Coordinates of all heavy atoms in Angstrom, one line a residue:
M1 N 91.5 30.8 125.8 CA 92.7 31.7 126.1 C 93.9 30.9 126.3 O 95.0 31.4 125.9 CB 92.3 32.6 127.3 CG 93.3 33.7 127.5 SD 93.4 34.9 126.1 CE 91.9 35.7 126.2
L2 N 93.9 29.8 126.8 CA 95.1 29.0 127.1 C 95.7 28.5 125.8 O 96.9 28.2 125.7 CB 94.8 27.8 128.0 CG 94.4 28.1 129.4 CD1 94.0 26.9 130.2 CD2 95.5 28.9 130.1
G3 N 94.9 28.4 124.7 CA 95.4 28.0 123.4 C 96.4 29.0 122.9 O 97.2 28.7 122.0
A4 N 96.3 30.2 123.3 CA 97.3 31.3 122.9 C 98.7 30.9 123.2 O 99.6 31.4 122.6 CB 96.8 32.6 123.4
F5 N 98.9 30.1 124.3 CA 100.2 29.8 124.7 C 100.8 28.5 124.1 O 101.9 28.1 124.4 CB 100.3 29.7 126.2 CG 99.9 31.0 126.9 CD1 98.7 31.2 127.4 CD2 100.8 32.0 126.9 CE1 98.3 32.4 128.0 CE2 100.5 33.2 127.5 CZ 99.3 33.4 128.1
S6 N 100.0 27.9 123.3 CA 100.4 26.7 122.6 C 101.1 27.1 121.2 O 100.5 27.9 120.5 CB 99.2 25.7 122.3 OG 98.6 25.3 123.5
P7 N 102.2 26.5 120.9 CA 102.9 26.9 119.6 C 102.1 26.5 118.4 O 101.5 25.4 118.4 CB 104.2 26.3 119.7 CG 104.1 25.2 120.7 CD 103.0 25.6 121.6
N8 N 102.1 27.3 117.4 CA 101.5 27.0 116.1 C 100.0 26.6 116.2 O 99.5 25.7 115.5 CB 102.2 25.8 115.4 CG 103.6 26.2 115.1 OD1 104.0 27.3 114.8 ND2 104.5 25.2 115.2
R9 N 99.3 27.3 117.1 CA 97.9 27.0 117.3 C 97.1 28.2 116.8 O 97.5 29.4 117.1 CB 97.6 26.7 118.7 CG 96.2 26.4 118.9 CD 96.0 25.5 120.1 NE 94.6 25.2 120.2 CZ 94.1 24.5 121.2 NH1 94.9 24.0 122.1 NH2 92.8 24.2 121.2
V10 N 96.0 28.0 116.1 CA 95.1 29.1 115.7 C 94.3 29.5 116.9 O 93.7 28.7 117.6 CB 94.2 28.6 114.6 CG1 93.2 29.7 114.2 CG2 95.0 28.2 113.4
I11 N 94.2 30.8 117.1 CA 93.4 31.4 118.3 C 92.3 32.2 117.7 O 92.3 32.7 116.6 CB 94.3 32.2 119.2 CG1 95.0 33.4 118.5 CG2 95.4 31.3 119.9 CD1 95.7 34.3 119.5
S12 N 91.3 32.5 118.6 CA 90.2 33.2 118.1 C 90.6 34.7 118.0 O 91.6 35.2 118.5 CB 89.0 33.1 119.1 OG 89.4 33.7 120.3
K13 N 89.7 35.5 117.3 CA 90.0 36.9 117.1 C 89.9 37.6 118.5 O 90.7 38.5 118.7 CB 89.0 37.5 116.2 CG 89.2 37.1 114.7 CD 88.2 37.8 113.8 CE 88.4 37.4 112.4 NZ 87.5 38.1 111.5
S14 N 89.0 37.2 119.3 CA 88.9 37.9 120.6 C 90.2 37.6 121.5 O 90.6 38.5 122.2 CB 87.7 37.5 121.4 OG 87.7 36.1 121.6
A15 N 90.7 36.4 121.4 CA 91.9 36.1 122.2 C 93.1 36.9 121.6 O 93.9 37.4 122.4 CB 92.2 34.6 122.1
F16 N 93.2 37.0 120.3 CA 94.2 37.8 119.7 C 94.1 39.3 120.1 O 95.1 39.9 120.4 CB 94.1 37.7 118.1 CG 95.2 38.4 117.4 CD1 96.5 38.0 117.4 CD2 94.9 39.6 116.8 CE1 97.5 38.7 116.7 CE2 95.8 40.3 116.1 CZ 97.2 39.9 116.1
R17 N 92.9 39.8 120.1 CA 92.7 41.2 120.5 C 93.1 41.4 121.9 O 93.8 42.4 122.3 CB 91.3 41.6 120.3 CG 90.9 41.9 118.9 CD 89.5 42.4 118.7 NE 89.1 42.4 117.4 CZ 88.0 41.8 116.9 NH1 87.2 41.2 117.7 NH2 87.7 41.8 115.6
F18 N 92.8 40.5 122.8 CA 93.2 40.6 124.2 C 94.7 40.6 124.3 O 95.2 41.4 125.1 CB 92.6 39.4 125.0 CG 93.1 39.4 126.4 CD1 92.5 40.2 127.3 CD2 94.1 38.5 126.8 CE1 93.0 40.2 128.7 CE2 94.5 38.5 128.1 CZ 94.0 39.4 129.0
I19 N 95.4 39.7 123.6 CA 96.8 39.7 123.7 C 97.4 41.0 123.2 O 98.3 41.5 123.9 CB 97.4 38.5 122.9 CG1 97.0 37.2 123.5 CG2 98.9 38.6 122.7 CD1 97.2 36.0 122.7
V20 N 96.9 41.5 122.1 CA 97.5 42.8 121.6 C 97.2 43.9 122.6 O 98.1 44.7 122.9 CB 96.9 43.1 120.2 CG1 97.2 44.5 119.8 CG2 97.3 42.1 119.2
V21 N 96.0 44.0 123.2 CA 95.7 45.1 124.1 C 96.5 44.9 125.4 O 97.0 45.9 125.9 CB 94.2 45.1 124.5 CG1 93.9 45.9 125.7 CG2 93.4 45.5 123.2
F22 N 96.7 43.7 125.8 CA 97.5 43.5 127.0 C 99.0 43.9 126.8 O 99.6 44.5 127.6 CB 97.5 42.0 127.4 CG 98.3 41.6 128.6 CD1 97.8 42.0 129.9 CD2 99.5 41.0 128.5 CE1 98.6 41.7 131.0 CE2 100.3 40.7 129.6 CZ 99.8 41.0 130.9
Q23 N 99.5 43.5 125.6 CA 100.9 43.9 125.3 C 101.1 45.4 125.2 O 102.1 46.0 125.7 CB 101.4 43.3 124.0 CG 101.6 41.8 124.1 CD 102.0 41.2 122.8 OE1 101.8 41.7 121.8 NE2 102.5 39.9 122.9
I24 N 100.1 46.1 124.6 CA 100.2 47.6 124.6 C 100.1 48.2 125.9 O 100.8 49.1 126.3 CB 99.1 48.1 123.6 CG1 99.4 47.7 122.2 CG2 98.9 49.6 123.8 CD1 98.3 48.0 121.2
A25 N 99.2 47.6 126.8 CA 99.1 48.2 128.2 C 100.4 48.0 128.9 O 100.8 48.9 129.7 CB 97.9 47.5 128.9
V26 N 101.0 46.8 128.8 CA 102.3 46.6 129.5 C 103.3 47.5 128.9 O 104.1 48.1 129.7 CB 102.7 45.1 129.3 CG1 104.2 44.9 129.8 CG2 101.8 44.2 130.1
L27 N 103.4 47.7 127.7 CA 104.4 48.7 127.1 C 104.2 50.1 127.6 O 105.1 50.7 128.0 CB 104.2 48.7 125.5 CG 105.1 49.7 124.8 CD1 106.5 49.4 124.9 CD2 104.6 49.9 123.4
L28 N 102.9 50.5 127.7 CA 102.7 51.9 128.2 C 103.0 52.0 129.7 O 103.5 53.0 130.1 CB 101.2 52.3 127.9 CG 100.8 52.5 126.5 CD1 99.3 52.7 126.4 CD2 101.6 53.7 125.9
M29 N 102.7 51.0 130.4 CA 103.1 51.0 131.9 C 104.6 51.1 132.0 O 105.1 51.8 132.9 CB 102.5 49.8 132.6 CG 101.1 49.9 132.9 SD 100.4 48.5 133.9 CE 101.7 47.5 134.3
V30 N 105.3 50.3 131.3 CA 106.8 50.3 131.4 C 107.3 51.6 130.9 O 108.3 52.2 131.5 CB 107.4 49.1 130.5 CG1 108.9 49.3 130.4 CG2 107.1 47.8 131.1
W31 N 106.8 52.2 129.8 CA 107.2 53.5 129.3 C 107.0 54.6 130.4 O 107.8 55.4 130.6 CB 106.5 53.8 128.0 CG 106.9 55.0 127.4 CD1 108.1 55.7 127.4 CD2 106.1 55.8 126.4 NE1 108.1 56.8 126.7 CE2 106.9 56.9 126.0 CE3 104.8 55.6 125.9 CZ2 106.4 57.8 125.1 CZ3 104.4 56.6 125.0 CH2 105.2 57.7 124.7
A32 N 105.8 54.6 131.0 CA 105.4 55.6 131.9 C 106.2 55.5 133.2 O 106.5 56.5 133.9 CB 103.9 55.6 132.2
T33 N 106.6 54.3 133.6 CA 107.3 54.2 134.9 C 108.8 54.0 134.7 O 109.5 53.7 135.7 CB 106.8 53.0 135.7 OG1 106.9 51.8 134.9 CG2 105.3 53.2 136.0
S34 N 109.3 54.1 133.5 CA 110.7 53.9 133.2 C 111.6 54.9 133.9 O 111.3 56.1 134.0 CB 111.0 53.9 131.7 OG 112.4 53.9 131.4
T35 N 112.7 54.5 134.4 CA 113.7 55.4 135.1 C 114.9 55.7 134.2 O 115.8 56.4 134.6 CB 114.2 54.7 136.4 OG1 114.8 53.5 136.1 CG2 113.1 54.5 137.4
Y36 N 114.9 55.2 132.9 CA 116.0 55.5 132.0 C 115.9 57.0 131.6 O 114.9 57.5 131.3 CB 115.9 54.7 130.8 CG 116.1 53.2 131.1 CD1 115.0 52.3 130.8 CD2 117.3 52.7 131.5 CE1 115.2 50.9 131.1 CE2 117.5 51.4 131.8 CZ 116.4 50.5 131.6 OH 116.6 49.2 131.8
V37 N 117.1 57.6 131.6 CA 117.2 59.0 131.3 C 117.0 59.3 129.8 O 116.4 60.3 129.4 CB 118.5 59.6 131.7 CG1 118.5 61.1 131.9 CG2 119.1 58.9 132.9
F38 N 117.4 58.3 129.0 CA 117.3 58.5 127.5 C 115.9 58.2 127.0 O 115.7 58.4 125.8 CB 118.4 57.6 126.8 CG 118.2 56.2 127.1 CD1 117.4 55.4 126.4 CD2 119.0 55.6 128.1 CE1 117.3 54.0 126.6 CE2 118.9 54.2 128.4 CZ 118.0 53.5 127.6
L39 N 115.0 57.7 127.8 CA 113.7 57.4 127.4 C 112.7 58.4 128.0 O 112.4 58.3 129.2 CB 113.3 56.0 127.8 CG 111.9 55.5 127.3 CD1 111.9 55.4 125.8 CD2 111.7 54.1 127.9
P40 N 112.3 59.4 127.2 CA 111.4 60.4 127.8 C 110.0 59.8 128.2 O 109.5 58.9 127.6 CB 111.2 61.4 126.7 CG 111.5 60.7 125.5 CD 112.5 59.6 125.8
K41 N 109.4 60.5 129.2 CA 108.1 60.1 129.7 C 107.1 60.4 128.7 O 107.3 61.3 127.8 CB 107.8 60.8 131.0 CG 108.8 60.5 132.1 CD 108.6 59.2 132.7 CE 109.5 59.0 133.9 NZ 109.6 57.6 134.3
P42 N 105.9 59.7 128.7 CA 104.9 60.1 127.7 C 104.4 61.5 127.8 O 104.2 62.1 126.7 CB 103.7 59.1 128.1 CG 104.4 58.0 128.8 CD 105.6 58.6 129.5
L43 N 104.4 62.1 128.9 CA 104.0 63.5 129.1 C 105.0 64.4 128.4 O 104.6 65.4 127.8 CB 103.7 63.9 130.5 CG 103.1 65.2 130.8 CD1 101.8 65.3 130.1 CD2 103.0 65.4 132.3
D44 N 106.3 64.1 128.6 CA 107.3 64.9 127.9 C 107.2 64.8 126.4 O 107.4 65.8 125.7 CB 108.7 64.4 128.4 CG 108.9 64.7 129.8 OD1 108.3 65.5 130.4 OD2 109.8 63.9 130.4
V45 N 106.9 63.6 125.9 CA 106.8 63.5 124.5 C 105.6 64.3 124.0 O 105.6 65.0 122.9 CB 106.6 62.0 124.1 CG1 106.2 61.8 122.6 CG2 107.8 61.2 124.5
W46 N 104.5 64.2 124.7 CA 103.3 65.0 124.3 C 103.6 66.5 124.3 O 103.2 67.2 123.4 CB 102.1 64.7 125.2 CG 100.9 65.5 124.9 CD1 100.4 66.5 125.6 CD2 100.1 65.3 123.8 NE1 99.2 67.0 125.0 CE2 99.0 66.3 123.8 CE3 100.1 64.5 122.7 CZ2 98.1 66.4 122.9 CZ3 99.1 64.6 121.7 CH2 98.1 65.6 121.8
R47 N 104.2 67.0 125.3 CA 104.6 68.4 125.4 C 105.5 68.8 124.2 O 105.3 69.9 123.6 CB 105.3 68.7 126.7 CG 104.3 68.7 127.9 CD 105.1 69.1 129.2 NE 104.3 68.9 130.3 CZ 104.7 68.5 131.5 NH1 106.0 68.3 131.7 NH2 103.9 68.4 132.5
A48 N 106.4 68.0 123.9 CA 107.3 68.3 122.8 C 106.5 68.3 121.5 O 106.7 69.2 120.6 CB 108.4 67.3 122.7
F49 N 105.6 67.4 121.3 CA 104.8 67.3 120.1 C 103.9 68.6 120.0 O 103.8 69.2 118.9 CB 103.9 66.1 120.1 CG 102.9 66.0 119.0 CD1 103.3 65.6 117.7 CD2 101.6 66.3 119.2 CE1 102.4 65.6 116.7 CE2 100.6 66.3 118.1 CZ 101.1 65.9 116.9
V50 N 103.3 69.0 121.1 CA 102.4 70.2 121.0 C 103.3 71.4 120.7 O 102.9 72.3 119.9 CB 101.7 70.4 122.4 CG1 101.0 71.7 122.5 CG2 100.7 69.2 122.5
D51 N 104.5 71.5 121.3 CA 105.3 72.6 121.0 C 105.8 72.7 119.6 O 105.7 73.7 118.9 CB 106.6 72.6 121.9 CG 107.5 73.8 121.7 OD1 107.0 74.9 121.8 OD2 108.7 73.5 121.4
L52 N 106.1 71.5 119.0 CA 106.5 71.4 117.6 C 105.3 71.8 116.7 O 105.5 72.5 115.7 CB 107.0 70.0 117.3 CG 108.4 69.7 117.8 CD1 108.7 68.2 117.5 CD2 109.4 70.5 117.1
W53 N 104.1 71.3 117.1 CA 102.9 71.6 116.3 C 102.6 73.1 116.3 O 102.3 73.7 115.2 CB 101.8 70.8 116.8 CG 100.6 70.8 115.9 CD1 99.6 71.7 115.9 CD2 100.3 69.9 114.8 NE1 98.7 71.4 114.9 CE2 99.1 70.3 114.2 CE3 100.9 68.7 114.3 CZ2 98.5 69.6 113.2 CZ3 100.4 68.1 113.3 CH2 99.2 68.5 112.7
N54 N 102.6 73.7 117.5 CA 102.1 75.1 117.6 C 103.2 76.1 117.2 O 102.8 77.2 116.7 CB 101.7 75.3 119.1 CG 100.4 74.6 119.4 OD1 99.6 74.3 118.5 ND2 100.3 74.3 120.7
H55 N 104.4 75.8 117.5 CA 105.5 76.9 117.3 C 106.5 76.6 116.2 O 107.2 77.5 115.8 CB 106.2 77.1 118.7 CG 105.3 77.4 119.8 ND1 104.6 78.6 119.9 CD2 104.9 76.7 120.9 CE1 103.9 78.6 121.0 NE2 104.0 77.5 121.6
E56 N 106.6 75.4 115.8 CA 107.6 75.0 114.8 C 107.1 74.6 113.5 O 107.8 74.3 112.6 CB 108.5 73.9 115.4 CG 109.2 74.3 116.7 CD 110.2 75.4 116.6 OE1 110.8 75.5 115.5 OE2 110.3 76.1 117.5
G57 N 105.8 74.6 113.3 CA 105.1 74.3 112.0 C 105.2 72.9 111.6 O 105.2 72.5 110.4
L58 N 105.1 72.0 112.6 CA 105.1 70.6 112.3 C 103.9 70.2 111.4 O 104.1 69.4 110.4 CB 105.1 69.8 113.6 CG 105.0 68.2 113.4 CD1 106.3 67.7 112.7 CD2 104.8 67.6 114.7
G59 N 102.7 70.7 111.6 CA 101.6 70.3 110.8 C 101.8 70.6 109.4 O 101.5 69.8 108.5
Q60 N 102.2 71.8 109.1 CA 102.4 72.3 107.7 C 103.5 71.4 107.0 O 103.4 71.0 105.9 CB 102.9 73.7 107.7 CG 103.1 74.3 106.3 CD 103.5 75.8 106.3 OE1 103.7 76.3 107.4 NE2 103.8 76.3 105.2
E61 N 104.6 71.1 107.8 CA 105.7 70.3 107.2 C 105.2 68.9 106.9 O 105.6 68.3 105.9 CB 106.9 70.3 108.1 CG 107.5 71.7 108.3 CD 108.0 72.3 107.0 OE1 108.4 71.5 106.1 OE2 108.1 73.5 106.9
L62 N 104.3 68.4 107.8 CA 103.8 67.0 107.5 C 103.0 67.0 106.2 O 103.0 66.1 105.4 CB 103.0 66.5 108.7 CG 103.8 66.1 109.9 CD1 102.9 65.7 111.0 CD2 104.7 64.9 109.5
I63 N 102.2 68.1 106.1 CA 101.3 68.1 104.8 C 102.2 68.2 103.6 O 101.9 67.5 102.6 CB 100.4 69.4 104.9 CG1 99.3 69.1 106.0 CG2 99.7 69.6 103.6 CD1 98.5 70.4 106.3
V64 N 103.3 69.0 103.7 CA 104.2 69.1 102.5 C 104.8 67.7 102.3 O 105.0 67.3 101.1 CB 105.2 70.2 102.8 CG1 106.4 70.1 101.8 CG2 104.6 71.5 102.8
S65 N 105.3 67.0 103.3 CA 105.9 65.7 103.2 C 105.0 64.7 102.6 O 105.4 63.9 101.7 CB 106.4 65.3 104.5 OG 107.5 66.1 105.0
F66 N 103.8 64.7 103.0 CA 102.8 63.7 102.5 C 102.3 64.0 101.1 O 101.9 63.1 100.4 CB 101.6 63.5 103.5 CG 102.0 62.7 104.7 CD1 101.8 63.2 105.9 CD2 102.5 61.4 104.6 CE1 102.2 62.5 107.1 CE2 102.9 60.7 105.7 CZ 102.7 61.2 107.0
S67 N 102.4 65.2 100.7 CA 101.9 65.5 99.4 C 103.1 65.5 98.4 O 103.2 65.0 97.4 CB 101.2 66.9 99.3 OG 102.1 67.9 99.7

């Protein structure tokens, strides 16, 4: 694991996965605890997504866009 902090060094797949998972966890913690007004909380984003999906036709529009 310490080899991950050495520049230009090849690391194992498990070390790489650990680093990626750790970075994602830190990102989610910062996002969830952020006090910035312009950055909505994860729950607010989820609620907006569900509202768009159920009431604004987001699913149908995505199908049209991808096809």
Side-chain angles (χ1 to χ4, degrees):
M1 191 59 68
L2 292 176
F5 297 103
S6 300
N8 300 325
R9 182 155 184 180
V10 178
I11 59 173
S12 67
K13 287 183 181 183
S14 62
F16 180 75
R17 285 185 191 126
F18 175 77
I19 292 171
V20 169
V21 168
F22 180 76
Q23 288 178 345
I24 290 172
V26 168
L27 173 71
L28 290 175
M29 280 184 7
V30 168
W31 183 26
T33 60
S34 172
T35 58
Y36 295 115
V37 205
F38 59 86
L39 185 64
K41 303 282 185 194
L43 190 57
D44 296 335
V45 173
W46 178 253
R47 286 181 187 146
F49 175 77
V50 170
D51 182 53
L52 286 171
W53 190 274
N54 291 333
H55 303 292
E56 302 294 328
L58 177 64
Q60 180 182 1
E61 296 299 331
L62 284 175
I63 292 170
V64 169
S65 293
F66 283 122
S67 63

